[in-house]
Amino acid sequence: MNIVSLVLRIKPETRAEAEAALCAYPGVECHGMSDDGKLVVTVEDAEGAAMSDTLIALHRVPQVLAATLAYEHTDTMLSDSLPETLPQATQSTNSPCEEAQS
């Protein structure tokens, strides 16, 4: 699972249209908005929709003036994705500094 949080700048008077357009994308949820037009949005992996494509599409929503990535989470661990054929030193979780002291 991947999830990101964005802060989108919109004109406050376009909130209803912006939220309708944004929530039309799979995995997108709109949350609170400040008085000056900062809208908090989360995007979660969705079946048949690449996260990157969804993020690009959100930038293209006419009411969105700017977007800032605030948070990203992936629940897969790096060590799970490393091939078993790599040398053990490459798969180590120790820092290079710790290894140099050994």
Side-chain angles (χ1 to χ4, degrees):
M1 175 182 78
N2 295 317
I3 188 167
V4 298
S5 177
L6 304 166
V7 178
L8 304 179
R9 282 291 271 199
I10 64 170
K11 293 181 180 175
E13 62 271 14
T14 67
R15 180 178 183 173
E17 302 96 299
E19 287 186 354
L22 295 165
C23 290
Y25 292 98
V28 176
E29 290 184 33
C30 295
H31 304 281
M33 189 177 96
S34 65
D35 292 339
D36 63 348
K38 294 176 188 165
L39 177 65
V40 176
V41 175
T42 53
V43 182
E44 208 171 327
D45 276 339
E47 190 73 30
M51 173 79 71
S52 58
D53 292 340
T54 302
L55 294 176
I56 290 168
L58 297 183
H59 282 268
R60 293 183 177 155
V61 170
Q63 295 82 9
V64 175
L65 305 173
T68 302
L69 179 66
Y71 179 79
E72 179 180 10
H73 170 77
T74 302
D75 67 357
T76 58
M77 297 181 60
L78 178 62
S79 61
D80 293 342
S81 64
L82 290 175
E84 291 181 23
T85 57
L86 290 177
Q88 185 62 33
T90 306
Q91 294 180 2
S92 172
T93 58
N94 295 333
S95 76
C97 296
E98 291 173 4
E99 290 175 7
Q101 294 174 358
S102 301

